[in-house]
Amino acid sequence: MQNEISNALKVLKNGGLILYPTDTVWGIGCDASNPEAVKKIFQLKQREDSKALICLVADDRMLKKYVKKIPEAAFSILDITEEPITIIYDEPQNLASNLIAEDNTIAIRIPDNDFCFQLLRRFNGAIVSTSANISGFPTPKSFKEIAPEILKGVDYVVNLHHEKINTKPSSIIKLSNDGIVKVIRA
């Protein structure tokens, strides 16, 4: 696994795209602070850049680097949830401007996955994680379902967990600083 992390790190640090296993589905990733790398993901997915992307952070400490004010409810939700959950936060910071949604929010997940955790720790920054499909097509449930255009369009494919089958992406909730909680995807 350490070799895969090292290879992925080189690509991320050079503004490239990786295809990697997460705690949910296979993701296309890049340095979340690099606007050119983020642009490459939108192009590869053939997705409008007005549609927001999710990014991953290793832990609460890293989360604080990317969100100005984290609602207390977020920590409670992260502590009690057993399923993968992505939270949309107000007032993101230190991220590529084309990664931030038009309403000045960002979707962030702390993955429960050893590979992702170690990659994020060693990268010491947020990494984009968007499903490994062309926009409008179904999310692949396994590595073998990933379209050839995606495989060819990334700079590095992580060689781990190719046999794993994923049942579904994370749940998504929006936690506004004004206390409003909205379920986006259950």
Side-chain angles (χ1 to χ4, degrees), residues 20 22 54-58 62 108-109 111 116 120 125-129:
Y20 66 115
T22 73
I54 292 171
C55 59
L56 303 180
V57 297
M62 194 179 285
I108 299 178
R109 185 168 80 253
C116 288
L120 288 157
I127 298 173
V128 170
S129 179

Side-chain angles (χ1 to χ4, degrees), residues 97-118:
S97 59
N98 55 343
L99 185 59
I100 297 169
E102 290 176 345
D103 63 352
N104 196 33
T105 60
I106 188 68
I108 299 178
R109 185 168 80 253
I110 299 172
D112 183 15
N113 171 289
D114 193 42
F115 171 78
C116 288
F117 178 75
Q118 288 189 45

Side-chain angles (χ1 to χ4, degrees), residues 3 5 7 17 33 54 72 82 88 115 117 143 164 183:
N3 192 39
I5 290 170
N7 292 339
L17 304 185
S33 68
I54 292 171
E72 278 303 313
E82 292 182 17
I88 300 173
F115 171 78
F117 178 75
F143 180 80
K164 182 180 166 200
V183 175

